[in-house]
Amino acid sequence: MACVTETPQPSVMYVVVVAVYFIMLLFLSVEKTAAASIKIEEQEHDRVKSLPGQPPVGFKQYAGYVTVNETHGRALFYWFFEATSEPQNKPLLLWLNGGPGCSSIGFGAAEELGPFFPKKNNRELKFNKHTWNKAANLLFLESPVGVGFSYTNTSSNIPQLGDTNTARDSHIFLVNWFKRFPQFRDNEFYIAGESYAGHYVPQLAELIFDDNKKASKEDHLNLKGFIIGNALLDDETDQKGMIDYAWGHAVISDQLYNNLTKCNFSNAHLSDDCNNALIKYFKVYNIIDMYSLYAPTCNENGTNARNFHGSPVRGTRPHLFSNFKEWHKMPAGYDPCASDYTEVYMNRPDVQHALHANVTNIPYPWTHCSNNITFWSDAPTSILPIIKKLVSGGLRVWVYSGDTDGRIPVTSTRYTLNKLGLKTIQEWTPWYTNNKQVGGWTIEYDGLMFVTIRGAGHQVPTFKPREALQLIKHFLTNKKLPSQAF
């Protein structure tokens, strides 16, 4: 008799388990597809098809709000430009301006390193051929709330602003922004900024650095380093460097310099003689531009159009010098009236509509620097401990300085970096531009590169756009600037 072998039948339980497994896979696939669809919708909602008066370009741009605190109704405004080529392979660079209380869109995007600059006629934008999105995907953030188009629905948030709140909200913004733009999550990420961003950038980098150690894969940020220019870093050396620089550049007399050198600026209260000497010192910068000693001032209609932005912000660093209103004067720029053009353009309703900005009808006009921020709750006297920590942690750190800036001069930065006590790897060396001119000098420390830009004021990309683009390209690729003409 032939032997018949029966094929064993799967148990009912096995069938059920397999069915559930495949249903779960299908559910997860649908869920991921739905999530991806939501992200695409969010991106498209923020897509800026074209701005009024904008020249045609081949890259995409986005702008809008990211909520950082739903309970208080805090939302930060951003403007993002994809790289001009291969955005998927280029790093992402976040740019922050300082103040505190000044707009990264008003200065950084519209007058320094973004692709579009408002023109004098207030109707058109001109393309910046040295835009930094030739080197990176470029993200500008108006921070903290109360600056530019960024807002809070809780008025008590404004008096509580300070370094800590600013860093925390900026970090939350980034985590949420990457959720909206997940295609850039794996790109190398860097932070850049100038002036009071000498506080903002290292503090935000430290927060990310520490959080990355415990963050989920979704919240992990691929931070590789940061670069800061003409940066406020240390009270003692920033103040001393300002006085020494002014004397060395024939801005103040020998007598006034000698009087100032007798003052102890680490004291909370100055003597009458020292206070009067400082008044005379700052008075000079009512007639020349502190931010660029050799640049003209704006004299349209017979008056200097570059005024102070509101009242001094109490509580900022350095505590002593920031009590003088001249410390808070706005920079003028290569075109000393450029900020006037920007302010008119950014307040146009059609421009705000195109940027998805001012959706809550903020009850005040857009300005470069906020008049609402009059108090700063916290700011350390020195950022050097943070820089030391992050250098030791392996982040790439570059510091640069335009050498005609009297606000946070190259003298201050050199004093400051000397306090770090880092080993010198390569001494003071000239670097060259692609037209065979000396662009400035570099000194390489163990873990930190310092670069000067010859002939540049406080806003280096404004005064030396070609050199600034060369600088950021070398920073992002971790290459030294050329020490020989080529």
Side-chain angles (χ1 to χ4, degrees), residues 258-466:
N258 290 331
N259 290 341
L260 287 166
T261 55
K262 296 174 184 176
C263 302
N264 183 358
F265 295 133
S266 62
N267 287 340
H269 302 286
L270 291 177
S271 66
D272 288 343
D273 287 343
C274 287
N275 191 64
N276 289 332
L278 273 179
I279 290 173
K280 290 179 181 178
Y281 162 76
F282 277 112
K283 190 175 181 179
V284 175
Y285 292 118
N286 285 329
I287 56 175
I288 63 172
D289 187 358
M290 177 192 291
Y291 292 84
S292 182
L293 297 190
Y294 309 113
T297 56
C298 180
N299 290 300
E300 288 190 353
N301 301 321
T303 60
N304 190 333
R306 292 270 48 84
N307 296 317
F308 308 118
H309 76 86
S311 302
V313 182
R314 293 181 295 111
T316 55
R317 289 293 180 179
H319 278 176
L320 180 59
F321 278 25
S322 64
N323 288 328
F324 292 82
K325 65 178 183 178
E326 287 84 357
W327 174 259
H328 301 267
K329 187 178 181 180
M330 290 170 57
Y334 185 73
D335 177 344
C337 303
S339 292
D340 295 331
Y341 316 151
T342 302
E343 204 140 312
V344 171
Y345 187 82
M346 297 304 292
N347 277 295
R348 285 174 49 175
D350 57 343
V351 171
Q352 294 180 3
H353 178 75
L355 287 171
H356 318 117
N358 199 14
V359 294
T360 57
N361 295 317
I362 299 170
Y364 47 82
W366 181 94
T367 58
H368 281 78
C369 298
S370 173
N371 293 321
N372 299 313
I373 299 174
T374 58
F375 178 77
W376 203 248
S377 66
D378 68 293
T381 59
S382 179
I383 301 297
L384 294 185
I386 296 177
I387 292 179
K388 275 188 176 181
K389 171 184 174 178
L390 298 180
V391 166
S392 298
L395 291 187
R396 187 182 313 157
V397 179
W398 284 30
V399 178
Y400 66 90
S401 183
D403 64 9
T404 68
D405 176 29
R407 174 65 152 72
I408 307 176
V410 62
T411 311
S412 295
T413 305
R414 293 176 78 174
Y415 287 157
T416 298
L417 296 181
N418 284 337
K419 286 180 73 172
L420 279 172
L422 299 175
K423 179 182 177 182
T424 299
I425 304 299
Q426 184 178 42
E427 259 297 352
W428 202 250
T429 305
W431 66 271
Y432 289 83
T433 65
N434 55 13
N435 59 353
K436 300 183 180 181
Q437 297 297 312
V438 174
W441 279 263
T442 67
I443 180 168
E444 182 184 1
Y445 297 102
D446 185 12
L448 186 148
M449 181 72 77
F450 176 51
V451 182
T452 73
I453 297 85
R454 190 164 66 100
H458 190 69
Q459 300 164 289
V460 168
T462 299
F463 292 94
K464 293 290 181 177
R466 182 195 300 272

